[in-house]
Amino acid sequence: VQLQASGGGLVHPGGSLRVSCAVSGRTLSTSTMGWFRLAPGKGRQFVAAIRGSGRITNYARSVKDRFTTSNDNAKNTVYLQMNSLKEDDTAVYYCAISSRQLITSQMSNEQAYDSWGQGTQVTVSS
């Protein structure tokens, strides 16, 4: 399984950015995808997750109502749309995949995911 994250960059506070994660070697529709981030001096944090069906999502409280995750099963790609970005959102963003259809309470657990992408840097700064 390979996960290729892309789309990171530099954005001003209040701006928007979309990161993508292309999956190869596993069918997205039967999996769960998660987004995590790692900021300097902090542990890796859960951001969002989506079931392969696209009908079940989960978000960290800090990003709820600002971030949206979605999937395109035809392209085997997952997206994280980030709006109203804050400097606190600065981090390396990682996508991860679980071969299981995780329930909501499992989605924030790093151990539930079995493959990880290489990460993409998102910097929010004026």
Side-chain angles (χ1 to χ4, degrees):
V1 180
Q2 289 191 328
L3 284 71
Q4 182 69 44
S6 62
L10 173 65
V11 63
H12 293 309
S16 298
L17 203 62
R18 188 178 80 162
V19 294
S20 304
C21 180
V23 179
S24 58
R26 186 171 294 167
T27 302
L28 192 57
S29 62
T30 59
S31 305
T32 301
M33 291 295 297
W35 291 97
F36 292 79
R37 65 188 182 186
L38 183 62
K42 298 181 180 179
R44 190 151 58 183
Q45 298 176 326
F46 169 73
V47 176
I50 184 168
R51 286 264 290 265
S53 65
R55 289 193 292 269
I56 297 177
T57 57
N58 191 23
Y59 296 91
R61 191 172 299 179
S62 59
V63 306
K64 194 172 178 60
D65 298 328
R66 297 189 299 122
F67 291 11
T68 302
T69 187
S70 60
N71 56 10
D72 184 337
N73 288 345
K75 295 182 179 179
N76 233 36
T77 299
V78 177
Y79 305 97
L80 182 68
Q81 176 68 42
M82 301 180 287
N83 299 328
S84 302
L85 282 160
K86 306 174 182 179
E87 292 189 353
D88 282 350
D89 295 318
T90 295
V92 177
Y93 283 73
Y94 297 89
C95 55
I97 189 168
S98 170
S99 59
R100 298 181 291 150
Q101 298 273 354
L102 300 177
I103 60 176
T104 304
S105 61
Q106 297 172 319
M107 288 179 170
S108 59
N109 181 4
E110 293 182 35
Q111 304 304 315
Y113 298 87
D114 41 53
S115 294
W116 293 75
Q118 84 287 2
T120 184
Q121 176 70 47
V122 173
T123 302
V124 185
S125 175
S126 54

PDB file of all heavy atoms in Angstrom, residues 76-96:
ATOM      1  N   ASN A  76      -9.496   6.976  -6.172  1.00  0.00           N
ATOM      2  CA  ASN A  76      -8.821   6.423  -4.991  1.00  0.00           C
ATOM      3  C   ASN A  76      -8.029   7.507  -4.248  1.00  0.00           C
ATOM      4  O   ASN A  76      -6.875   7.289  -3.842  1.00  0.00           O
ATOM      5  CB  ASN A  76      -7.904   5.264  -5.371  1.00  0.00           C
ATOM      6  CG  ASN A  76      -8.186   4.013  -4.551  1.00  0.00           C
ATOM      7  OD1 ASN A  76      -9.331   3.722  -4.216  1.00  0.00           O
ATOM      8  ND2 ASN A  76      -7.151   3.262  -4.225  1.00  0.00           N
ATOM      9  N   THR A  77      -8.660   8.635  -4.074  1.00  0.00           N
ATOM     10  CA  THR A  77      -8.003   9.804  -3.479  1.00  0.00           C
ATOM     11  C   THR A  77      -8.895  10.417  -2.407  1.00  0.00           C
ATOM     12  O   THR A  77     -10.125  10.466  -2.563  1.00  0.00           O
ATOM     13  CB  THR A  77      -7.688  10.851  -4.558  1.00  0.00           C
ATOM     14  OG1 THR A  77      -6.804  10.270  -5.525  1.00  0.00           O
ATOM     15  CG2 THR A  77      -7.023  12.085  -3.958  1.00  0.00           C
ATOM     16  N   VAL A  78      -8.260  10.871  -1.334  1.00  0.00           N
ATOM     17  CA  VAL A  78      -8.956  11.543  -0.249  1.00  0.00           C
ATOM     18  C   VAL A  78      -8.446  12.968  -0.158  1.00  0.00           C
ATOM     19  O   VAL A  78      -7.261  13.231  -0.424  1.00  0.00           O
ATOM     20  CB  VAL A  78      -8.716  10.807   1.083  1.00  0.00           C
ATOM     21  CG1 VAL A  78      -9.381  11.536   2.238  1.00  0.00           C
ATOM     22  CG2 VAL A  78      -9.254   9.397   1.006  1.00  0.00           C
ATOM     23  N   TYR A  79      -9.346  13.871   0.221  1.00  0.00           N
ATOM     24  CA  TYR A  79      -9.002  15.285   0.285  1.00  0.00           C
ATOM     25  C   TYR A  79      -9.261  15.836   1.682  1.00  0.00           C
ATOM     26  O   TYR A  79     -10.160  15.363   2.391  1.00  0.00           O
ATOM     27  CB  TYR A  79      -9.830  16.083  -0.728  1.00  0.00           C
ATOM     28  CG  TYR A  79      -9.709  15.571  -2.134  1.00  0.00           C
ATOM     29  CD1 TYR A  79     -10.662  14.708  -2.662  1.00  0.00           C
ATOM     30  CD2 TYR A  79      -8.629  15.938  -2.934  1.00  0.00           C
ATOM     31  CE1 TYR A  79     -10.557  14.225  -3.952  1.00  0.00           C
ATOM     32  CE2 TYR A  79      -8.508  15.458  -4.228  1.00  0.00           C
ATOM     33  CZ  TYR A  79      -9.479  14.604  -4.727  1.00  0.00           C
ATOM     34  OH  TYR A  79      -9.353  14.125  -6.010  1.00  0.00           O
ATOM     35  N   LEU A  80      -8.490  16.831   2.047  1.00  0.00           N
ATOM     36  CA  LEU A  80      -8.733  17.586   3.275  1.00  0.00           C
ATOM     37  C   LEU A  80      -8.771  19.058   2.895  1.00  0.00           C
ATOM     38  O   LEU A  80      -7.735  19.643   2.567  1.00  0.00           O
ATOM     39  CB  LEU A  80      -7.648  17.317   4.317  1.00  0.00           C
ATOM     40  CG  LEU A  80      -7.837  18.018   5.660  1.00  0.00           C
ATOM     41  CD1 LEU A  80      -9.057  17.444   6.399  1.00  0.00           C
ATOM     42  CD2 LEU A  80      -6.585  17.872   6.545  1.00  0.00           C
ATOM     43  N   GLN A  81      -9.973  19.605   2.883  1.00  0.00           N
ATOM     44  CA  GLN A  81     -10.152  21.021   2.584  1.00  0.00           C
ATOM     45  C   GLN A  81     -10.063  21.793   3.895  1.00  0.00           C
ATOM     46  O   GLN A  81     -10.826  21.534   4.832  1.00  0.00           O
ATOM     47  CB  GLN A  81     -11.513  21.260   1.927  1.00  0.00           C
ATOM     48  CG  GLN A  81     -11.835  22.717   1.674  1.00  0.00           C
ATOM     49  CD  GLN A  81     -10.941  23.334   0.610  1.00  0.00           C
ATOM     50  OE1 GLN A  81     -10.665  22.719  -0.416  1.00  0.00           O
ATOM     51  NE2 GLN A  81     -10.477  24.558   0.863  1.00  0.00           N
ATOM     52  N   MET A  82      -9.137  22.743   3.946  1.00  0.00           N
ATOM     53  CA  MET A  82      -8.897  23.487   5.173  1.00  0.00           C
ATOM     54  C   MET A  82      -9.222  24.962   4.935  1.00  0.00           C
ATOM     55  O   MET A  82      -8.597  25.610   4.080  1.00  0.00           O
ATOM     56  CB  MET A  82      -7.435  23.317   5.604  1.00  0.00           C
ATOM     57  CG  MET A  82      -7.050  21.873   5.837  1.00  0.00           C
ATOM     58  SD  MET A  82      -5.329  21.649   6.350  1.00  0.00           S
ATOM     59  CE  MET A  82      -4.495  21.985   4.816  1.00  0.00           C
ATOM     60  N   ASN A  83     -10.194  25.463   5.652  1.00  0.00           N
ATOM     61  CA  ASN A  83     -10.614  26.859   5.540  1.00  0.00           C
ATOM     62  C   ASN A  83     -10.356  27.591   6.851  1.00  0.00           C
ATOM     63  O   ASN A  83     -10.170  26.971   7.899  1.00  0.00           O
ATOM     64  CB  ASN A  83     -12.099  26.937   5.184  1.00  0.00           C
ATOM     65  CG  ASN A  83     -12.416  26.286   3.861  1.00  0.00           C
ATOM     66  OD1 ASN A  83     -11.595  26.290   2.934  1.00  0.00           O
ATOM     67  ND2 ASN A  83     -13.606  25.723   3.760  1.00  0.00           N
ATOM     68  N   SER A  84     -10.376  28.908   6.794  1.00  0.00           N
ATOM     69  CA  SER A  84     -10.175  29.742   7.985  1.00  0.00           C
ATOM     70  C   SER A  84      -8.946  29.295   8.768  1.00  0.00           C
ATOM     71  O   SER A  84      -8.994  29.130   9.991  1.00  0.00           O
ATOM     72  CB  SER A  84     -11.421  29.697   8.874  1.00  0.00           C
ATOM     73  OG  SER A  84     -12.564  30.123   8.167  1.00  0.00           O
ATOM     74  N   LEU A  85      -7.867  29.106   8.058  1.00  0.00           N
ATOM     75  CA  LEU A  85      -6.659  28.571   8.677  1.00  0.00           C
ATOM     76  C   LEU A  85      -6.073  29.525   9.705  1.00  0.00           C
ATOM     77  O   LEU A  85      -6.112  30.756   9.543  1.00  0.00           O
ATOM     78  CB  LEU A  85      -5.621  28.234   7.611  1.00  0.00           C
ATOM     79  CG  LEU A  85      -5.888  26.914   6.877  1.00  0.00           C
ATOM     80  CD1 LEU A  85      -5.154  26.869   5.559  1.00  0.00           C
ATOM     81  CD2 LEU A  85      -5.496  25.739   7.749  1.00  0.00           C
ATOM     82  N   LYS A  86      -5.517  28.938  10.765  1.00  0.00           N
ATOM     83  CA  LYS A  86      -4.901  29.691  11.844  1.00  0.00           C
ATOM     84  C   LYS A  86      -3.428  29.304  11.943  1.00  0.00           C
ATOM     85  O   LYS A  86      -3.028  28.237  11.466  1.00  0.00           O
ATOM     86  CB  LYS A  86      -5.587  29.360  13.171  1.00  0.00           C
ATOM     87  CG  LYS A  86      -7.082  29.536  13.180  1.00  0.00           C
ATOM     88  CD  LYS A  86      -7.676  29.032  14.484  1.00  0.00           C
ATOM     89  CE  LYS A  86      -9.189  29.155  14.494  1.00  0.00           C
ATOM     90  NZ  LYS A  86      -9.778  28.644  15.760  1.00  0.00           N
ATOM     91  N   GLU A  87      -2.648  30.141  12.588  1.00  0.00           N
ATOM     92  CA  GLU A  87      -1.228  29.802  12.739  1.00  0.00           C
ATOM     93  C   GLU A  87      -1.055  28.502  13.512  1.00  0.00           C
ATOM     94  O   GLU A  87      -0.100  27.760  13.281  1.00  0.00           O
ATOM     95  CB  GLU A  87      -0.502  30.970  13.415  1.00  0.00           C
ATOM     96  CG  GLU A  87      -0.412  32.212  12.534  1.00  0.00           C
ATOM     97  CD  GLU A  87       0.480  33.283  13.103  1.00  0.00           C
ATOM     98  OE1 GLU A  87       0.937  33.138  14.252  1.00  0.00           O
ATOM     99  OE2 GLU A  87       0.728  34.280  12.400  1.00  0.00           O
ATOM    100  N   ASP A  88      -1.984  28.201  14.409  1.00  0.00           N
ATOM    101  CA  ASP A  88      -1.922  26.942  15.168  1.00  0.00           C
ATOM    102  C   ASP A  88      -2.114  25.708  14.289  1.00  0.00           C
ATOM    103  O   ASP A  88      -1.855  24.583  14.725  1.00  0.00           O
ATOM    104  CB  ASP A  88      -2.995  26.925  16.271  1.00  0.00           C
ATOM    105  CG  ASP A  88      -2.586  27.764  17.469  1.00  0.00           C
ATOM    106  OD1 ASP A  88      -1.412  28.186  17.531  1.00  0.00           O
ATOM    107  OD2 ASP A  88      -3.446  28.006  18.333  1.00  0.00           O
ATOM    108  N   ASP A  89      -2.587  25.900  13.055  1.00  0.00           N
ATOM    109  CA  ASP A  89      -2.759  24.764  12.137  1.00  0.00           C
ATOM    110  C   ASP A  89      -1.457  24.387  11.444  1.00  0.00           C
ATOM    111  O   ASP A  89      -1.406  23.400  10.716  1.00  0.00           O
ATOM    112  CB  ASP A  89      -3.817  25.104  11.077  1.00  0.00           C
ATOM    113  CG  ASP A  89      -5.192  25.296  11.675  1.00  0.00           C
ATOM    114  OD1 ASP A  89      -5.572  24.505  12.565  1.00  0.00           O
ATOM    115  OD2 ASP A  89      -5.896  26.238  11.246  1.00  0.00           O
ATOM    116  N   THR A  90      -0.414  25.178  11.645  1.00  0.00           N
ATOM    117  CA  THR A  90       0.878  24.883  11.039  1.00  0.00           C
ATOM    118  C   THR A  90       1.395  23.536  11.530  1.00  0.00           C
ATOM    119  O   THR A  90       1.502  23.312  12.743  1.00  0.00           O
ATOM    120  CB  THR A  90       1.895  25.980  11.377  1.00  0.00           C
ATOM    121  OG1 THR A  90       1.478  27.202  10.779  1.00  0.00           O
ATOM    122  CG2 THR A  90       3.285  25.607  10.871  1.00  0.00           C
ATOM    123  N   ALA A  91       1.689  22.643  10.593  1.00  0.00           N
ATOM    124  CA  ALA A  91       2.119  21.290  10.952  1.00  0.00           C
ATOM    125  C   ALA A  91       2.430  20.515   9.675  1.00  0.00           C
ATOM    126  O   ALA A  91       2.115  20.964   8.571  1.00  0.00           O
ATOM    127  CB  ALA A  91       1.027  20.569  11.733  1.00  0.00           C
ATOM    128  N   VAL A  92       3.026  19.352   9.855  1.00  0.00           N
ATOM    129  CA  VAL A  92       3.107  18.380   8.774  1.00  0.00           C
ATOM    130  C   VAL A  92       1.850  17.522   8.857  1.00  0.00           C
ATOM    131  O   VAL A  92       1.548  16.970   9.921  1.00  0.00           O
ATOM    132  CB  VAL A  92       4.370  17.498   8.885  1.00  0.00           C
ATOM    133  CG1 VAL A  92       4.388  16.449   7.779  1.00  0.00           C
ATOM    134  CG2 VAL A  92       5.627  18.367   8.830  1.00  0.00           C
ATOM    135  N   TYR A  93       1.145  17.430   7.765  1.00  0.00           N
ATOM    136  CA  TYR A  93      -0.108  16.687   7.714  1.00  0.00           C
ATOM    137  C   TYR A  93       0.139  15.326   7.062  1.00  0.00           C
ATOM    138  O   TYR A  93       0.730  15.236   5.975  1.00  0.00           O
ATOM    139  CB  TYR A  93      -1.166  17.473   6.942  1.00  0.00           C
ATOM    140  CG  TYR A  93      -1.738  18.588   7.770  1.00  0.00           C
ATOM    141  CD1 TYR A  93      -0.993  19.730   8.046  1.00  0.00           C
ATOM    142  CD2 TYR A  93      -3.026  18.514   8.297  1.00  0.00           C
ATOM    143  CE1 TYR A  93      -1.504  20.757   8.833  1.00  0.00           C
ATOM    144  CE2 TYR A  93      -3.546  19.525   9.083  1.00  0.00           C
ATOM    145  CZ  TYR A  93      -2.776  20.638   9.343  1.00  0.00           C
ATOM    146  OH  TYR A  93      -3.289  21.656  10.128  1.00  0.00           O
ATOM    147  N   TYR A  94      -0.338  14.287   7.741  1.00  0.00           N
ATOM    148  CA  TYR A  94      -0.169  12.914   7.283  1.00  0.00           C
ATOM    149  C   TYR A  94      -1.524  12.290   7.006  1.00  0.00           C
ATOM    150  O   TYR A  94      -2.473  12.491   7.764  1.00  0.00           O
ATOM    151  CB  TYR A  94       0.527  12.070   8.347  1.00  0.00           C
ATOM    152  CG  TYR A  94       1.935  12.498   8.680  1.00  0.00           C
ATOM    153  CD1 TYR A  94       2.175  13.443   9.677  1.00  0.00           C
ATOM    154  CD2 TYR A  94       3.028  11.962   8.003  1.00  0.00           C
ATOM    155  CE1 TYR A  94       3.460  13.838   9.988  1.00  0.00           C
ATOM    156  CE2 TYR A  94       4.320  12.355   8.308  1.00  0.00           C
ATOM    157  CZ  TYR A  94       4.529  13.296   9.305  1.00  0.00           C
ATOM    158  OH  TYR A  94       5.805  13.690   9.607  1.00  0.00           O
ATOM    159  N   CYS A  95      -1.581  11.503   5.934  1.00  0.00           N
ATOM    160  CA  CYS A  95      -2.749  10.668   5.726  1.00  0.00           C
ATOM    161  C   CYS A  95      -2.390   9.240   6.111  1.00  0.00           C
ATOM    162  O   CYS A  95      -1.224   8.830   6.044  1.00  0.00           O
ATOM    163  CB  CYS A  95      -3.236  10.743   4.292  1.00  0.00           C
ATOM    164  SG  CYS A  95      -2.005  10.353   3.023  1.00  0.00           S
ATOM    165  N   ALA A  96      -3.386   8.501   6.521  1.00  0.00           N
ATOM    166  CA  ALA A  96      -3.198   7.121   6.947  1.00  0.00           C
ATOM    167  C   ALA A  96      -4.420   6.314   6.535  1.00  0.00           C
ATOM    168  O   ALA A  96      -5.511   6.867   6.400  1.00  0.00           O
ATOM    169  CB  ALA A  96      -3.001   7.066   8.460  1.00  0.00           C
TER     170      ALA A  96
END
